[in-house]
Amino acid sequence: MTLEVLVIAVIRIGGSLPVLRWPLAGGILAILVDLSDLLLRDTLDLGGIPDYQALDKWLDQVYMACFLLVALRWQVLERRVAVALYLYRAVGFVLFEVTGNRDLLLLFPNVFEFWFLAVAALHRFRPGFTWNRWRLLVTLGVLGGLKELHEWALHGGRIFDGISSLEAIKLVWRWMTGGR
């Protein structure tokens, strides 16, 4: 294990823990910290990361386990959906680990992450919200579609594979400032 892997792991694990106290804010923070490892990978020079995809997926398990611990306190339907989505992604994670095939992550998108944030937001901003079949199906359809697009961009189309996080930040900055 390189020092770079250790630093990133400590940051990712630390960034996962606030969700246990503050589900929505902590969940958003955990996902932002998850993204930060790309910037850390591109700026640190502490020995490198031998297999970034594997490291990222293992560290994802930490914040997802924290999300699951929180979701286990939810009402029955929300909890059952969370557990099912967590287990579905866990199957994809295991298959990815066994084969190393990133395309498998398209078949097992991490809808659990989006479900967690949606329910945490409902608890925060719409306490007393009740689910019915229609609301559940529409919510899962929208979240599933968005997450599948995200997974395709990362693992199917691999549109970010040929660009560093620093280059991406520069491109976004140029776009936001009109090319300046």
Side-chain angles (χ1 to χ4, degrees):
M1 176 184 299
T2 67
L3 182 56
E4 193 166 327
V5 169
L6 183 61
V7 167
I8 289 171
V10 167
I11 291 169
R12 289 276 307 270
I13 292 167
S16 299
L17 300 178
V19 75
L20 298 171
R21 173 69 174 93
W22 302 283
L24 180 58
I28 292 168
L29 177 66
I31 291 168
L32 290 174
V33 170
D34 174 27
L35 293 171
S36 77
D37 63 12
L38 296 170
L39 186 59
L40 291 169
R41 180 191 69 183
D42 293 340
T43 56
L44 294 177
D45 187 15
L46 301 172
I49 303 172
D51 185 351
Y52 171 76
Q53 286 301 323
L55 175 67
D56 180 57
K57 295 301 164 259
W58 275 103
L59 291 173
D60 286 351
Q61 300 314 301
V62 176
Y63 83 79
M64 288 178 54
C66 290
F67 283 16
L68 182 63
L69 285 173
V70 172
L72 290 175
R73 298 188 304 240
W74 292 346
Q75 298 298 320
V76 175
L77 178 66
E78 295 168 342
R79 180 176 59 242
R80 285 183 180 164
V81 171
V83 169
L85 292 172
Y86 175 85
L87 291 173
Y88 186 73
R89 179 57 173 206
V91 168
F93 166 70
V94 169
L95 290 173
F96 168 73
E97 278 301 305
V98 169
T99 67
N101 183 351
R102 286 171 64 185
D103 292 333
L104 284 169
L105 299 172
L106 290 166
L107 297 174
F108 297 91
N110 189 3
V111 181
F112 170 67
E113 173 184 81
F114 282 15
W115 173 256
F116 179 87
L117 291 176
V119 173
L122 283 172
H123 289 179
R124 174 72 177 91
F125 297 111
R126 300 249 343 250
F129 178 86
T130 56
W131 291 97
N132 60 37
R133 184 181 307 254
W134 173 249
R135 286 178 172 171
L136 181 63
L137 291 174
V138 168
T139 300
L140 288 173
V142 168
L143 296 177
L146 290 171
K147 191 58 185 183
E148 192 62 45
L149 253 159
H150 179 241
E151 297 287 359
W152 178 86
L154 294 176
H155 304 296
R158 300 178 186 195
I159 62 176
F160 301 108
D161 279 10
I163 186 171
S164 75
S165 61
L166 297 173
E167 291 168 328
I169 291 169
K170 287 178 188 174
L171 287 172
V172 169
W173 180 257
R174 274 191 235 129
W175 177 77
M176 289 174 56
T177 60
R180 290 175 244 149

